[in-house]
Amino acid sequence: MAVGSFEFGLSANALNAWAVWILPFVAAVVIPGVAKFSKKATNGVAVAFALASAISATTLLPLALGNNEIHNQIPWISSIGLKAGVLADPLAALMSNVVAWVSFLIFVYSTGYMKGDKDITRFWFWMAFFVGSMQLIVLSDNFLQLFFGWEGVGLASYALVGFWYKDKKKDHVGIEGRRVLGLVDYYSPTHSGIKAFIMTKVGDIMMLAGMFLIFAFAGTFGFRELTENTAWATTMSAQHLLIPAAVLLFGGAIGKSAQFPLNEWLLEAMTGPTAVSALIHAATMVKAGVFLVARLAPLFFALAAIGINMDQFFEVVAWVGAITAFLLATQGMVHPEIKKVLAYSTGSQIGYMMMALGVAGLSRQFVDGYTAGFFHLISHAMFKASLFMAAGSLLHIVGSRFMTDMGGLRKYMKKTYAFMWAAGLGLMGAPFITTGFWSKDAIFAAVYESGNTWALPIFVLALITAVMTTFYTTRMIGMVFFGNKSKHVEEMEKEGYHIHEASPSMWIPYGILAVLTIGIGVVGLAFEHQIHDIFTEYLASAFGIKSDMANVAKESQSVLGGFLEGVNPVALVSSLSAFAIGFGLGYIFYIGRFVDSTKFVNSNIFFYAIHKFFLNRWYLNALIYWGFVVAPLYFARGVYRYFENIVIEGFNLVPEKTMAGGARIMQATQTGISQSYLYVFGAGILIVVLLLLI
């Protein structure tokens, strides 16, 4: 059925759409029961349900390819006329497949990574619960239902970041004893879980406020209903409330996707098992914010047709993305912990996606930026999940999270070495053979061609970020696999431990994603054009957003020829230049080792200061702690010590002393002598008589 149609009955396709998010929840319920009989069996149950969910998601792909959708609803909250439903349109169909298949591969990887862990049941429960919640976000047809999934992924993230809650030193992140602005930069799993929960809740509260603000005017949470009748938007715009509501909704995306200024929680989230980092904090949950913007952006852009200008909203999205991409890339260049480098990279690359979606709304060709942002989401999910799982294998084998404790491992872990190169080249955007190149090039082109006032500065930030991305990825591979073995590895070998390749259950999943990064990259331009065509039809039929690609393709073809038809020459040269510069610098310092990076940094006060500034996270993390944790605690202690103890407790003494004094007076009147009581009684009667006579 065409976009905009509706299904009342539970057809096979509709049932599959519901099954995509219900099956993982069923797994979460079943797994604890299975564990009563066999903990090992929980592996098979989790993987089987993940596969079933992925197959269900695959059945939705023909819908995306044919510009069709499933919109199926059931009764939910009758008092406000709200129904629960699934909306499997082309956007949701593609996204659900990314989530489902990456999740399945990470579940397979987890069977090896978590082998022997005594809390495996708890691990599988939260992993399955997370996948169900994430798919609920993707397939929900209304804000309120989506928000249930939104909170579900946040809860699962909290539980899995703090999974190793005994807080052993090996499970911390940061360098023990290191301080920034007087505060310890070393975090335990429980602390990190609480930090992630609280920081994302800031965004969640903003999102909730935006949702109910729109509901107050529209009387509905439904995405299709909001699109079909936009009178609510006209009213809100007239009262200058529409853009604030849109920005509040974006606040939820900022929190979940770790964008500036709510980005600091993601680095500490690396205390969780690496399988968690790969699934939640690289490939899926942190993309929830990108998906939310992708769900809402066409609606906000289409409002221009009725005279509502949403440029301010899209400018906020574009600049938050650009600043985050640049900010986190600078930090990724200097950190010694491999998972932290990948975490910085994740936030930075999500910044690229936000940048593309923001620029889309500021451009005449909305579909270009929209396609670029979503294509990069797909591309990033593959190579970053692969890199995280490969990093987990390294941690498993070497027993350290620091790249300085590795070195020279390519001789011992040849498969992991090859797959990290393949996935790493995707992150770098290696020309013509990786998905990362085409998706990043599409973002460059969308920014450059947008014609917006902010196009040039955002383009420059994107280009500089690309150089840094290539540099820190080359640095990571160089530090881990090249050079001499570290003292840590030598000591392990002296103790009789031999460095070896990870088990097949671990390297096969990240190997598949690495191969796909290259395989799809080879036909990347055609793949991008396919996504572009899908979204062109989808946006036109669902939102009335037209795209005029004929002239753009014609102009590009005249410059580049048939093979690169539709590719912007400026964006292409920029992509190639960024890769060449970043890889060249990384090769000089960390692969060829022509220059000692440590000596280079320490040889110049300027380079030393910049290195320290980036290593200290621009001091933003420390300032957040001072402003929102340390200072409020000092203030609270001061209030307790000087106000509560002195003023409040002093005031409380007044009624206490008054009551005590009154009690003593009353006590003095109670003599226990009958004559005294008779005397007082007689005196009382006499006084009453005298008063009556007067």
Side-chain angles (χ1 to χ4, degrees), residues 290-368:
V290 180
F291 177 79
L292 178 65
V293 176
R295 173 61 79 197
L296 299 176
L299 169 60
F300 292 147
F301 184 80
L303 293 177
I306 57 173
I308 299 175
N309 190 330
M310 294 295 292
D311 283 359
Q312 288 177 301
F313 165 73
F314 287 110
E315 285 174 358
V316 170
V317 174
W319 273 109
V320 166
I323 291 169
T324 306
F326 177 80
L327 176 73
L328 296 188
T330 60
Q331 298 172 51
M333 294 193 298
V334 298
H335 269 267
E337 297 174 68
I338 189 168
K339 285 179 67 177
K340 268 198 171 185
V341 171
L342 293 172
Y344 284 119
S345 174
T346 296
S348 179
Q349 296 302 301
I350 291 173
Y352 266 122
M353 300 169 208
M354 292 295 191
M355 182 199 311
L357 293 173
V359 165
L362 300 172
S363 170
R364 291 168 298 173
Q365 294 292 335
F366 178 82
V367 70
D368 290 357

Side-chain angles (χ1 to χ4, degrees), residues 349 352 376 379 383 421-441 444 466-467 469-471 473-474 517-518 571-572 574-580 583:
Q349 296 302 301
Y352 266 122
H376 199 56
S379 175
F383 61 66
W421 259 123
L425 287 171
L427 176 56
M428 296 182 219
F432 307 119
I433 61 167
T434 62
T435 56
F437 171 77
W438 298 112
S439 59
K440 204 172 292 185
D441 179 80
F444 287 165
V467 174
T469 301
T470 305
F471 174 79
T473 308
T474 309
T517 298
I518 301 298
L572 179 62
S574 299
S575 297
L576 295 174
S577 301
F579 176 79
F583 185 79

Side-chain angles (χ1 to χ4, degrees), residues 508-527:
I508 289 176
Y510 60 78
I512 291 172
L513 291 173
V515 170
L516 284 174
T517 298
I518 301 298
I520 297 177
V522 172
V523 294
L525 192 57
F527 188 76

